[in-house]
Amino acid sequence: MNLGLKGKTVVVTGGASGIGKAVAKQFLAEGCNVAVCGRSQARLDAMLAECPGMPIMAASVDVTNTTALEEFATAVLKRFGRVDVWVNNAGMSDPMPFEEADEAAFHRLVDVNFKAVFFGCQAAARVLRVTGAEKTAPGGVILNTSSFTSVIPTAGKALYGATKAAVNNLTESFAAELAADGIRVVAVIPGYIATEMTTANIAKNRDWLVSNISAKRLGTPEDMAGAYVFLASDAAQYITGTTLQVAGGKLCVQNPLWSWDRKEAQG
């Protein structure tokens, strides 16, 4: 299927590692211009080195700094002349019992996972409207990375889950507020994805994690990338104000491995 994304410009925050990196590379493969930002200059440099000769820019941006986000959006618009898709992907997890969280930990998590998405959507809307005003097609797409903890909270990650549930709520509200501009807003809910952020937990709990997934395997960043590309395309033009789980059937039933157990029993 030709998704018609060639020549469009895509912004991915947290785009130099994990899911964000895979998403950015998939958009490049579709012929898009891509702008990524992140906190680690080393990772950004490595990302650029992996994409020689491709239409990509990278910038070190603190997504919790609203001014920096706005300046990044302006720089992307200046570099590529348009912005069509904005992916609010930057996020962090800081597991701890809620009674151990001090104010610094609270604000750190809320700023990265909630504040940055709120103001990222503001920055996105501004530049998407610029592009949308110059064409008859819809004004663009905002994709917000959520979490499975927004659906089923996790003990020991209460604040993280709450920030991601807030992302889902913002997604629904902003979809309605931006509809007249032709801007769609959708949240993507990853399942358990093998990334640098999840490496330690996978090492300790792989079997248990897999036991919750009907596909009987952990996800990869590449598993996620196709969903973002589809949602950004006009093939998904009637999808807005909702969330999409890309989770391999994680906890779709109380006994996710039923079919595997049955098949094994049948020989």
Side-chain angles (χ1 to χ4, degrees), residues 115-126:
K115 175 186 173 182
V117 173
F118 184 94
F119 288 104
C121 286
Q122 275 193 0
R126 178 175 64 81

Side-chain angles (χ1 to χ4, degrees), residues 64-135:
T64 69
N65 183 322
T66 305
T67 300
L69 264 180
E70 288 285 352
E71 291 174 348
F72 177 57
T74 299
V76 176
L77 196 59
K78 182 177 180 180
R79 167 74 179 272
F80 294 118
R82 61 187 295 135
V83 176
D84 301 275
V85 181
W86 184 292
V87 182
N88 286 307
N89 175 73
M92 66 171 293
S93 178
D94 191 11
M96 69 181 73
F98 81 93
E99 69 269 24
E100 294 181 10
D102 58 19
E103 285 194 52
F106 177 94
H107 288 296
R108 183 168 61 248
L109 204 62
V110 170
D111 283 355
V112 174
N113 291 349
F114 179 71
K115 175 186 173 182
V117 173
F118 184 94
F119 288 104
C121 286
Q122 275 193 0
R126 178 175 64 81
V127 290
L128 290 172
R129 285 187 179 115
V130 171
T131 301
E134 299 172 353
K135 60 181 183 179

Side-chain angles (χ1 to χ4, degrees), residues 148 157 190-195 197-202 205 208-210 213 217-220 246-248 250:
F148 209 86
K157 299 179 72 173
Y192 210 91
I193 310 300
T195 66
M197 191 166 70
T198 60
T199 298
N201 194 38
I202 290 172
N205 300 303
W208 178 81
L209 292 167
V210 170
I213 304 169
R217 68 174 178 87
L218 301 175
T220 67
V246 186
K250 178 179 179 179

Side-chain angles (χ1 to χ4, degrees), residues 26-230:
Q26 188 61 52
F27 276 113
L28 283 170
E30 293 291 328
C32 299
N33 308 311
V34 173
V36 300
C37 70
R39 291 174 295 179
S40 169
Q41 188 61 53
R43 287 179 177 174
L44 292 167
D45 291 342
M47 178 72 169
L48 291 175
E50 292 174 25
C51 305
M54 304 189 80
I56 181 172
M57 65 175 283
S60 179
V61 177
D62 176 0
V63 294
T64 69
N65 183 322
T66 305
T67 300
L69 264 180
E70 288 285 352
E71 291 174 348
F72 177 57
T74 299
V76 176
L77 196 59
K78 182 177 180 180
R79 167 74 179 272
F80 294 118
R82 61 187 295 135
V83 176
D84 301 275
V85 181
W86 184 292
V87 182
N88 286 307
N89 175 73
M92 66 171 293
S93 178
D94 191 11
M96 69 181 73
F98 81 93
E99 69 269 24
E100 294 181 10
D102 58 19
E103 285 194 52
F106 177 94
H107 288 296
R108 183 168 61 248
L109 204 62
V110 170
D111 283 355
V112 174
N113 291 349
F114 179 71
K115 175 186 173 182
V117 173
F118 184 94
F119 288 104
C121 286
Q122 275 193 0
R126 178 175 64 81
V127 290
L128 290 172
R129 285 187 179 115
V130 171
T131 301
E134 299 172 353
K135 60 181 183 179
T136 57
V141 184
I142 298 173
L143 301 177
N144 297 322
T145 299
S146 183
S147 164
F148 209 86
T149 60
S150 71
V151 180
I152 302 177
T154 301
K157 299 179 72 173
L159 181 57
Y160 175 79
T163 62
K164 291 300 187 175
V167 167
N168 297 354
N169 192 283
L170 287 182
T171 296
E172 294 170 356
S173 296
F174 292 166
E177 293 193 31
L178 295 171
D181 293 299
I183 297 172
R184 296 188 293 108
V185 189
V186 184
V188 180
I189 296 178
Y192 210 91
I193 310 300
T195 66
E196 291 181 20
M197 191 166 70
T198 60
T199 298
N201 194 38
I202 290 172
K204 292 188 297 183
N205 300 303
R206 175 182 288 274
D207 290 346
W208 178 81
L209 292 167
V210 170
S211 73
N212 292 318
I213 304 169
S214 290
K216 204 178 180 180
R217 68 174 178 87
L218 301 175
T220 67
E222 290 70 28
D223 286 326
M224 300 300 306
Y228 286 82
V229 169
F230 165 72

